């Protein structure tokens, strides 16, 4: 997993609540057996005017000029700003892979759906939940200054913009540690293999029907 | 004396292998359900790292999302979908996992076959790379959806790193009126909580109206816990649960069953246990529900009209409503029962069990699908549901009324196979998500119960049942 320490980048405002994972990566792309290559189809239904499939050459497709990520400089954005309950719906990790592949390193919203939130950490995409009022303020700042850049410092747990710290955010100690160091959490868990085996042995006695 | 615990507390505590200081816990997973869409990258990860599954007997795999619901003798024609299903077959062979493949009569939607086989049991932790894993909570199990990285994590370690959720009780008090189904109950709950109301919570559904539901109905309710934002939904174990579980292929028998029953009977919230949040609904107030927008919380009852964004004070919400109405091609003020539909889909892990099919057949019996309906399809949740329905003659009722009777799978719930809406088409669907493009790009979905879907097929529009 790629680590995340500090990041500064352009913020793309996606002014919608309840952006679901079906919207982030539509189902036809889930047929892939790979983990990469979803970026060109992130937000496919909103981004293109014609319908695409896993085999479509995206270069030849009709772009929707209204969609924010098609408007420079947001096509180079690395931080996504959205409204509440971002990433709701399907558990598809492809949504995170698509955002990551597009170039996003962080998503800022007032709240996130649980599974999306979890999946993000597994892929080095930092979800930052901020107060609705702070998010609102960020939307205003972004519309006042086209191409506004924001800086995120995971170590300090802060978000800054134009040299001013505008918010601090919460993150679990364990998740922060894994993100900062880009750790593979399977290897971490396997350090406790003996404890898992002991647990299993006990369960075999008390609940044999589970084995 | 021990502190009084909620059902969720009990399930959680039983599965903690170790805890970190910050509360993060390593929890043990008893049952891992696997399907073709969210697993290939996890198996690939295992291979790359040279790891083996920790406990192969915990896994049950099945292809469901991509499978055709028409004649399967020719296999899958879409080469990309075929490769994904074959990849699952090959991964299961390579790693020695149980799979009900496409030709197996036990094949079906992962959340239908788990319980049907007794692979889902009370007290278990059940995970699957699918958000509707919450369905299995109907058995008094802790069941939740995970992403592909976590699928790999469970395969490799049999465990997951988790933070404990907060406890919420949703109590549906009293009795529902005749014609009000489990689907209507859960849509009414989502309407009350909102799509993010359950975020961060594990929801226990209780109250007389939930107790009165069959296991199938409880599964419908728990299935949509995720649509209220909760990763897990659950219902306490009672005699209904024990009766359902008994005698299934994966269920224990004899002495072990007795021992299990004794333990399972303790799986309920203790008197005096505290919830972080309690929500009450009056069952008698719940009427048949129909969604009008692009989020499951955008729902009203059959007697209502499409709501007006101008009446909403919250600016972000009103804006969301306008976008939804534009997408759905609806005008505020339109009576719900005047909305004409083009297609009808009865199926999905929410409503494709035998009871759902009976409910729909009951409405369709002796009637004809209306002329404006381009397609009305019934997709049973599993091969065994299909077989049972055919034994009961339900397939005849449907086909004689003009419905198509299909092979089991996810089908038009997410339209990964050929079953889908064309742009602008309007569908009465028994599935769980009405997001933009969910059933096909530009398609318009109204979530309803099986009875309402059948009524829409017969009348050509939503109708009082
Ligand atoms: S039926 Fe629909 S919701 Fe259920 S598992 Fe299949 S695609 Fe997901």
């Amino acid at each position: 997993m790629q680590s995340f320490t500090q990041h500064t980048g352009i913020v793309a405002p996606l002014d919608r609540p309840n952006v679901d994972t079906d919207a982030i990566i539509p189902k036809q792309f889930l047929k892939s057996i790979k983990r990469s290559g979803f970026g060109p189809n992130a937000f496919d239904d909103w981004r293109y005017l014609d319908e695409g499939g896993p085999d479509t050459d995206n270069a030849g497709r009709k772009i929707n000029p209204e969609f924010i990520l098609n408007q420079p400089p947001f096509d180079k954005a690395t931080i996504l700003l959205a409204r509440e309950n971002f990433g709701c719906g399907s558990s598809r990790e492809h949504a995170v892979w698509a955002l990551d592949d597009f170039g996003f390193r962080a998503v800022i919203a007032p709240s996130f759906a649980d599974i999306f939130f979890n999946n993000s950490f597994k892929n080095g995409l930092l979800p930052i939940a901020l107060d609705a009022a702070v998010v609102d303020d960020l939307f205003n700042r972004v519309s006042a200054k086209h191409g506004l850049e924001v800086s995120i410092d995971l170590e300090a747990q802060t978000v800054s913009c134009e040299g001013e710290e505008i918010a601090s955010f919460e993150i679990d100690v364990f998740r922060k540690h894994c993100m900062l160091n880009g750790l593979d959490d399977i290897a971490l868990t396997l350090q406790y293999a003996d404890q898992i085996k002991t647990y299993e042995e006990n369960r075999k006695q008390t609940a044999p029907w589970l084995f | 004396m021990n502190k009084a615990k909620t059902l969720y507390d009990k399930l959680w505590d039983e599965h903690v292998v170790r805890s970190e200081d910050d509360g993060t816990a390593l929890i043990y997973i008893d049952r891992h359900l696997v399907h073709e869409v969210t697993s290939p990258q996890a198996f690939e990860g295992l291979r790359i790292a040279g790891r083996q599954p920790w406990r192969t007997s915990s896994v049950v795999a099945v292809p469901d999302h991509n499978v055709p619901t028409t004649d399967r003798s020719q296999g899958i024609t879409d080469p990309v979908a075929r490769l994904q299903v074959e990849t699952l077959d090959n991964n299961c062979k390579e790693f020695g996992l149980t799979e009900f493949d496409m030709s197996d009569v036990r094949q079906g939607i992962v959340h239908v076959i788990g319980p049907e086989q007794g692979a889902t049991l009370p007290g278990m932790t059940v995970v699957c790379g699918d958000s509707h894993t919450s369905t299995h909570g109907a058995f008094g199990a802790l069941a939740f959806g995970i992403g592909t990285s976590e699928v790999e994590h469970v395969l490799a370690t049999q465990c997951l790193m988790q933070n404990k959720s907060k406890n919420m009780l949703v109590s549906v008090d009293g009795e529902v009126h005749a014609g009000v189904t489990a689907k209507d109950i859960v849509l009414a709950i989502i309407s009350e909580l909102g799509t993010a109301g359950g975020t961060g919570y594990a929801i226990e559904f209780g109250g007389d109206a939930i107790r009165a539901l069959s296991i199938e109905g409880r599964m419908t309710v728990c299935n949509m816990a995720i649509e209220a934002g909760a990763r897990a939904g659950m219902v306490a174990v009672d005699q209904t649960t024990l009766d359902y579980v008994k005698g299934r292929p994966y269920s224990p028998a004899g002495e072990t069953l007795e021992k299990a029953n004794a333990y399972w009977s303790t799986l309920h919230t203790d008197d005096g246990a505290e919830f972080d949040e309690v929500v009450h609904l009056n069952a008698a107030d719940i009427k048949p529900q129909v969604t009008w927008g692009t989020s499951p919380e955008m729902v009203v009852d059959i007697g209502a009209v499409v709501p007006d964004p101008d009446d909403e004070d919250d600016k972000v919400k009103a804006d969301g409503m306008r976008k939804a109405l534009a997408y759905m091609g609806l005008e505020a003020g339109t009576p719900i029962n005047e909305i004409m539909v083009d297609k009808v889909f009865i199926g999905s892990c929410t409503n494709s069990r035998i009871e759902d099919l009976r409910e729909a057949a009951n409405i369709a019996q002796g009637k004809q699908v209306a002329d404006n309906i381009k397609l009305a399809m019934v997709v049973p949740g599993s091969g065994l549901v299909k077989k049972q329905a055919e034994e009961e003659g339900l397939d005849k009722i449907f086909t004689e009324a003009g419905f198509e009777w299909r092979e089991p799978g996810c089908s038009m719930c997410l339209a990964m196979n050929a079953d889908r809406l064309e742009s602008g088409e309007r569908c009465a669907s028994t599935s769980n998500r009405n997001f933009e493009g969910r059933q096909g790009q530009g398609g318009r979905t109204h979530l309803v119960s099986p009875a309402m879907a059948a009524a829409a097929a017969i009348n050509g529009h939503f109708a009082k049942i």
Side-chain angles (χ1 to χ4, degrees), chain B residues 144-359:
Chain B
F144 53 90
I146 56 179
T148 298
S149 295
E150 290 177 313
V151 169
E152 186 182 337
H153 195 279
V154 176
L155 283 170
T157 70
Q158 210 59 42
C159 290
L160 274 178
M161 279 290 184
Q162 292 283 300
N163 292 302
K164 198 177 173 197
S165 306
K166 287 180 284 181
N167 276 292
M168 182 189 288
L169 173 68
V170 173
S171 180
V172 187
D173 308 321
E175 262 181 64
V176 292
H177 291 296
V180 173
T181 69
K183 183 65 162 287
D184 303 307
I185 294 177
V186 71
L187 285 171
I189 292 172
I190 294 165
S191 161
E192 177 80 23
L193 292 180
T195 40
T199 306
Y201 290 95
I203 301 182
E204 179 176 345
F205 298 100
D208 313 327
I210 301 289
R211 291 257 74 79
L213 290 174
S214 64
I215 281 291
E216 285 87 349
R218 294 177 193 181
M219 284 196 257
T220 301
V221 172
C222 290
N223 175 272
M224 290 190 75
I226 184 76
E227 260 61 61
R231 221 171 164 185
M234 62 197 77
V235 176
V237 173
D238 60 10
Q239 196 57 44
T240 309
T241 325
L242 303 183
D243 291 346
Y244 182 96
V245 167
K246 195 175 171 194
R248 301 200 171 252
Y250 280 71
S251 304
E255 250 179 67
T256 323
L257 178 64
E258 276 171 41
K259 197 172 166 195
N261 272 335
Y263 168 61
W264 293 340
S265 302
T266 68
L267 295 175
H268 52 77
T269 292
D270 296 330
D271 286 342
E274 278 181 31
F275 287 90
D276 301 287
E277 183 75 43
V278 178
V279 177
H280 286 276
L281 272 82
N282 186 359
D285 293 343
I286 301 175
K287 303 198 177 72
Q289 304 281 304
V290 181
T291 66
W292 56 267
T294 52
S295 164
E297 70 185 1
M298 294 173 166
V299 63
V300 290
D301 62 60
I302 179 69
V305 299
V306 175
D308 192 340
D310 290 344
D311 298 339
E312 173 62 56
D313 298 333
D314 181 332
K315 179 184 132 297
V316 176
K317 263 205 180 139
D319 196 43
M321 288 171 75
R322 278 188 200 99
K323 285 198 177 92
L325 289 180
Y327 181 84
M328 294 296 288
L330 288 174
E331 298 276 333
T334 308
I336 295 291
N337 61 8
E338 287 177 12
I339 299 174
M340 306 294 290
V341 305
D342 304 303
K343 287 185 174 167
V344 174
F345 170 60
I346 297 174
S348 90
C349 58
T350 320
N351 285 126
S352 63
R353 298 178 190 85
I354 190 68
E355 188 183 88
D356 302 312
L357 304 189
R358 287 184 195 134
E359 194 185 284

Side-chain angles (χ1 to χ4, degrees), chain A residues 10 18 45 53 56-57 73 79 83 88 124 168 170 173-174 181 210:
Chain A
I10 295 174
N18 302 315
D45 284 4
T56 318
D57 175 11
I79 300 170
R83 299 288 182 182
C88 61
S168 60
E170 300 281 319
V173 181
F174 179 72
N181 299 294
L210 294 173

Side-chain angles (χ1 to χ4, degrees), chain A residues 90 92, chain B residues 35 64-65 109-112 128 130-133 135 223 227 345 347-352 409-416 431-433 438:
Chain A
S90 154
R92 60 188 71 166
Chain B
H35 66 83
D64 56 0
H65 285 61
I109 304 172
V110 65
H111 307 308
V112 175
C128 174
D130 190 282
S131 56
H132 291 101
T133 309
T135 310
N223 175 272
E227 260 61 61
F345 170 60
S348 90
C349 58
T350 320
N351 285 126
S352 63
C410 294
S411 180
M412 215 204 286
C413 172
L414 95 165
M416 265 185 93
S431 56
N432 43 42
R433 289 196 173 130
R438 172 78 180 183

